[in-house]
Amino acid sequence: MNVMPRPPKRRLGQVHVPAVTLSHGGGGKAMKDLIDDVFISVFATGSPEALEDQARFDLAALAAHGDRLAFTTDSFVVDPLSFPGGDIGKLAVFGTVNDLAVGGAKPLYLSCAVVIEEGMKIDELRRIALSMAKAAAEAGVTIVTGDTKVVQRGACDKLFITTTGVGVIPPDRILGIDTVRPGDGILVNGLLGDHGAAILAARGDLALESEILSDCAPLHGLIDALLEAAPGTRCIRDATRGGIATVLNEIAEASGVSIEIDEGAVPLREEVRGFCEILGLDPLYLANEGKIVVAVPAEEIDAALAALRAHPLGAGSSLIGRASRGEAGRVTMQTVFGGRRIVDMLVGEQLPRIC
Amino acid sequence: MKFADEFRDRDKARALVREIETLADQIEITRTRPLNIMEVCGGHTHSIFRYGLEGMLPPSIELVHGPGCPVCVLPMGRVDDCVAIAERPGVIFTTFGDAMRVPGSKKSLMQAKADGADVRMVYSPMDALALARNNPDREVVFFGLGFETTMPSTALTVLQAEADGIENFSVFCNHITIVPTIKAILDSPDLHLDGFLGPGHVSMVIGTAPYEFIADFYKRPMVVAGFEPLDVLQSIWMILKQISEGRAEIENQYKRIVPEAGNDPALAAVARVYELREFFEWRGLGSIDHSGVKVRDEYARFDAERKFAIPNVKIADPKSCQCGEVLKGVLKPWQCKVFGTLCTPETPLGALMVSPEGACAAYYQYGGVKPQRDETMAAAT
């Protein structure tokens, strides 16, 4: 959507050195060249916003999509920058797109602020910017504004990206984490823990070979399909850091319900199960980047499951549990073995056990 | 998951629980009090909580969570020593992940890392040796921790360092041995244990013979158990079977992993590198004779304790902390004065709250913490 008349095309600067130096953050020509060559050339060639300090939106055009603005921000500091199934750029776009989408919003615009450690290879930066541009195109959003800072070696870990997103929520969509009622079904849209396992394996210090790919994906299409089939959907959360265990605890707490899940219904890839088994990790706490936890009223469970499963990103969807009247804020799991245990919030980070 | 799911079969579990109930009913003791069975090993504690086994057992069987979590029984002073070594300039301090959060008197290794010490998590002591090889200008110290399960791997790493002529590598040895501690627990006047689940991984190294005194002298049955939930249930059944038949023997349920004679090459490596200490301090239990090992004189140059002047200060456990009673099974975790209030996994006061294998952390994480749950939990155990 073009909101301003386009000025004549200007000439974009170019970078001719192999690595980022502090001068690329100095505010002068080197910085302009870096921004032009690496970011603007792939994000929005000739976009009028590129010349301004801010993106500008036509309110009437925004209002055509719905009646509420959704606004979110997230920083990405993943190590390593590239991993099987994605990289920090793709993550930074889809992560923010998904934060908008789980509120029912149609994602429209993103900002992109980068903090670069001096010495970073221009080619790697270029590859990540390109990955962001591809991801934005796939998700149907435009990167309209940004910022670039370069810091001394050691002051950041290669590259940090912050994306902020703006979207619009259609009038009929009312989702809230505090609206879940006893009897509601709890659904997930597929295999859990792939992203967390892929990142851990990619760090290389485990000496474990794995073919697990990050599940990093934009979920607004899936969510559109879900909300069309199950308009009574209570809430949607993306199960990123802290995994589904954290999301379930947040829902139980906010809605004042108890949630019981069935271990046998939790979709897990064999490799991820084996991975967790070896390292003593609990897959319920592993991060996902393309998975949502959905609460729907009992009468819409079947419709919601069918809609999710019909979408390519929801083929492995499963009803993993129910909300109930039990102790408010409590999440429990019926184990595959027939026992029952509490699923609590994660304390600190998961650390591999020694034996 | 092949070779794991077979040991997590719900129907087999139900059948086993029914047999356990029948056997328990036949045992005289259960008419006056529950049978107390101690699982010595933290790995068993973890399985018991992860699969909700306590709730499946009849109330006539009480599981007592023993001292077999090496991270939990590590005294505060030793953590301070770790921090002191880690904060020396030029040192890369390497450790297994779950030792990162153990509180010292001033800070944990995780806090030391945040303060600038070069502390790195590794998954094997060989990874630490590789770090030493790749960083010849740095001193790499590995935090040797654990029972006989991990002892051979650090011993073999020291032997490898010697063979490769790597001089910038050393082990801060905190290895402990379980048998003297089981004896100390059996000698303790304030508890009644009716049987033991024997540690599976430790026994894979030492075999089953070292436990014979438990049956011969103390007349208590022990069953060396595997870590899958069916292993644990079957082992409980085997203990009950012994009690009901008036036997006290050392049996091996974990035959697929544990050879009765132990593992000779592993024991040989341990004997070459380590010797028994006169005594070692256990958090919550105090000093226990011959319960730890140290690096032999021949390998002194790989011994961090001798390489660096460590403060070696003894720090008393916090007064309010009742880890000792919980470790011996005298108190249930939630009966401790500070459980879930001053002492939580976020801010652990006592050792048992630190590692997921610690009984208190397991209760907190998997068993509930709110006071109103106390009665239900007591009834369920």
Side-chain angles (χ1 to χ4, degrees):
Chain A
M1 185 183 53
N2 287 314
V3 290
M4 295 284 287
R6 281 170 183 272
K9 257 193 173 178
R10 73 185 172 95
R11 202 185 176 82
L12 290 178
Q14 282 189 329
V15 183
H16 298 289
V17 291
V20 175
T21 63
L22 285 176
S23 66
H24 288 112
K29 179 170 182 309
M31 187 172 96
K32 180 183 162 298
D33 289 347
L34 180 79
I35 295 172
D36 276 357
D37 191 359
V38 174
F39 296 107
I40 290 181
S41 67
V42 295
F43 286 174
T45 311
S47 148
E49 285 86 8
L51 296 177
E52 304 291 351
D53 273 346
Q54 69 291 122
R56 299 169 187 183
F57 309 113
D58 184 272
L59 287 179
L62 284 177
H65 292 289
D67 59 356
R68 285 154 298 159
L69 201 61
F71 179 54
T72 185
T73 190
D74 208 340
S75 294
F76 298 83
V77 296
V78 65
D79 167 45
L81 295 180
S82 295
F83 42 85
D87 58 42
I88 189 171
K90 186 173 169 185
L91 209 57
V93 171
F94 291 161
T96 294
V97 162
N98 290 343
D99 280 347
L100 292 170
V102 294
K106 177 179 170 55
L108 294 171
Y109 301 107
L110 295 190
S111 74
C112 164
V114 294
V115 177
I116 309 168
E117 184 184 18
E118 71 174 320
M120 181 161 189
K121 298 279 171 285
I122 296 284
D123 281 348
E124 188 170 20
L125 195 59
R126 220 187 273 284
R127 198 175 42 70
I128 287 164
L130 200 59
S131 163
M132 289 188 83
K134 268 177 65 183
E138 185 184 339
V141 295
T142 317
I143 300 172
V144 290
T145 186
D147 181 52
T148 304
K149 294 282 188 300
V150 179
V151 296
Q152 304 222 18
R153 191 177 280 275
C156 90
D157 187 6
K158 295 185 277 294
L159 177 66
F160 296 161
I161 302 179
T162 299
T163 50
T164 298
V166 171
V168 176
I169 308 174
D172 50 337
R173 295 184 174 179
I174 314 283
L175 297 165
I177 191 168
D178 54 353
T179 60
V180 178
R181 294 289 155 259
D184 287 358
I186 307 294
L187 282 55
V188 295
N189 65 314
L191 296 160
L192 298 170
D194 287 5
H195 177 75
I199 295 285
L200 277 174
R203 284 192 187 151
D205 46 6
L206 299 175
L208 280 179
E209 282 186 26
S210 97
E211 287 170 5
I212 306 168
L213 300 182
S214 166
D215 58 349
C216 185
L219 297 170
H220 54 296
L222 177 80
I223 289 170
D224 285 345
L226 165 73
L227 292 176
E228 189 157 324
T233 297
R234 313 275 196 204
C235 83
I236 308 172
R237 278 284 161 124
D238 52 344
T240 52
R241 261 179 314 172
I244 63 159
T246 303
V247 170
L248 292 172
N249 272 283
E250 285 168 357
I251 294 175
E253 180 88 42
S255 291
V257 293
S258 173
I259 293 177
E260 173 150 329
I261 60 170
D262 173 6
E263 188 175 16
V266 175
L268 289 172
R269 196 181 293 282
E270 275 299 283
E271 293 96 309
V272 171
R273 284 185 64 200
F275 190 85
C276 288
E277 200 71 28
I278 287 172
L279 295 176
L281 304 175
D282 187 337
L284 297 180
Y285 297 100
L286 282 185
N288 307 277
E289 285 295 339
K291 293 299 169 316
I292 45 175
V293 175
V294 181
V296 291
E299 63 276 14
E300 290 190 357
I301 292 174
D302 291 343
L305 260 185
L308 288 172
R309 285 179 180 158
H311 193 278
L313 294 175
S317 295
S318 169
L319 172 67
I320 61 164
R322 297 246 186 193
S324 74
R325 244 174 250 294
E327 192 186 337
R330 180 66 77 194
V331 180
T332 58
M333 179 161 84
Q334 190 75 39
T335 71
V336 281
F337 198 60
R340 208 164 152 262
R341 72 161 163 97
I342 285 175
V343 178
D344 206 345
M345 287 276 222
L346 184 61
V347 174
E349 58 179 315
Q350 283 207 97
L351 300 173
R353 293 188 294 130
I354 89 171
C355 58
Chain B
M1 212 171 359
K2 223 166 152 41
F3 308 125
D5 290 341
E6 294 85 342
F7 297 94
R8 298 172 188 177
D9 185 288
R10 194 185 288 229
D11 298 331
K12 288 202 178 74
R14 284 208 189 105
L16 252 175
V17 167
R18 273 197 299 276
E19 289 203 39
I20 288 172
E21 280 167 357
T22 313
L23 264 181
D25 284 346
Q26 292 166 7
I27 294 172
E28 191 61 35
I29 308 167
T30 61
R31 308 213 200 293
T32 49
R33 64 169 176 83
L35 282 173
N36 291 315
I37 297 175
M38 174 179 274
E39 86 275 6
V40 175
C41 174
H44 286 138
T45 308
H46 190 82
S47 284
I48 286 164
F49 284 99
R50 179 171 163 200
Y51 294 97
L53 297 187
E54 278 200 312
M56 297 169 73
L57 292 171
S60 53
I61 296 174
E62 202 151 303
L63 295 176
V64 179
H65 314 299
C69 162
V71 174
C72 301
V73 295
L74 188 71
M76 241 181 205
R78 299 298 281 191
V79 180
D80 288 354
D81 292 342
C82 287
V83 170
I85 297 173
E87 289 185 336
R88 292 176 69 104
V91 164
I92 300 176
F93 194 87
T94 58
T95 173
F96 291 130
D98 50 0
M100 291 286 284
R101 261 203 303 263
V102 188
S105 67
K106 288 182 198 71
K107 52 177 127 171
S108 65
L109 282 167
M110 197 167 258
Q111 287 158 329
K113 180 171 187 276
D115 290 346
D118 193 347
V119 180
R120 304 191 196 178
M121 256 190 273
V122 291
Y123 297 86
S124 142
M126 284 303 216
D127 296 345
L129 188 61
L131 264 177
R133 200 177 284 123
N134 299 333
N135 295 276
D137 53 333
R138 306 279 301 273
E139 271 298 328
V140 175
V141 181
F142 177 74
F143 185 16
L145 182 65
F147 293 101
E148 285 88 345
T149 319
T150 50
M151 233 183 255
S153 64
T154 54
L156 285 166
T157 309
V158 166
L159 294 175
Q160 187 70 46
E162 186 196 32
D164 296 352
I166 298 176
E167 296 292 327
N168 63 327
F169 173 79
S170 59
V171 172
F172 181 42
C173 177
N174 287 272
H175 286 299
I176 43 181
T177 172
I178 193 71
V179 171
T181 309
I182 296 179
K183 189 172 175 306
I185 286 173
L186 279 165
D187 284 335
S188 170
D190 52 355
L191 82 165
H192 306 279
L193 293 173
D194 299 298
F196 290 91
L197 287 172
H201 292 148
V202 168
S203 309
M204 166 182 83
V205 175
I206 67 172
T208 56
Y211 307 121
E212 291 295 345
F213 74 97
I214 299 172
D216 294 346
F217 187 75
Y218 293 94
K219 309 289 179 216
R220 296 286 191 278
M222 174 187 262
V223 175
V224 172
F227 294 90
E228 293 299 330
L230 276 183
D231 287 326
V232 176
L233 285 184
Q234 189 187 22
S235 301
I236 291 172
W237 178 84
M238 287 168 75
I239 292 171
L240 262 58
K241 188 88 181 144
Q242 287 200 39
I243 297 174
S244 72
E245 292 171 2
R247 289 183 291 127
E249 293 166 16
I250 309 303
E251 291 181 314
N252 183 4
Q253 182 274 340
Y254 204 25
K255 285 202 168 104
R256 65 184 190 276
I257 298 287
V258 174
E260 323 256 287
N263 181 322
D264 277 339
L267 287 171
V270 167
R272 227 174 116 184
V273 175
Y274 299 122
E275 61 186 338
L276 278 181
R277 291 178 195 259
E278 267 179 58
F279 56 87
F280 196 73
E281 183 79 17
W282 291 55
R283 186 181 274 217
L285 294 177
S287 178
I288 299 174
D289 288 351
H290 306 301
S291 65
V293 299
K294 61 181 178 185
V295 177
R296 284 183 187 276
D297 290 344
E298 298 94 291
Y299 298 96
R301 65 187 190 281
F302 300 108
D303 183 4
E305 229 159 309
R306 280 180 265 199
K307 207 165 188 174
F308 308 100
I310 57 161
N312 205 357
V313 180
K314 246 181 100 170
I315 310 277
D317 292 333
K319 277 208 178 59
S320 50
C321 186
Q322 295 180 291
C323 279
E325 282 92 333
V326 177
L327 276 174
K328 286 188 287 188
V330 180
L331 283 185
K332 287 279 167 190
W334 70 89
Q335 291 169 333
C336 169
K337 290 192 289 268
V338 290
F339 177 80
T341 51
L342 288 176
C343 185
T344 65
E346 257 161 305
T347 51
L349 205 59
L352 292 176
M353 198 53 107
V354 175
S355 160
E357 292 186 2
C360 293
Y363 263 98
Y364 189 95
Q365 204 79 27
Y366 293 145
V369 55
K370 296 191 175 135
Q372 66 261 32
R373 292 183 63 82
D374 281 4
E375 280 168 26
T376 28
M377 253 187 327
T381 52

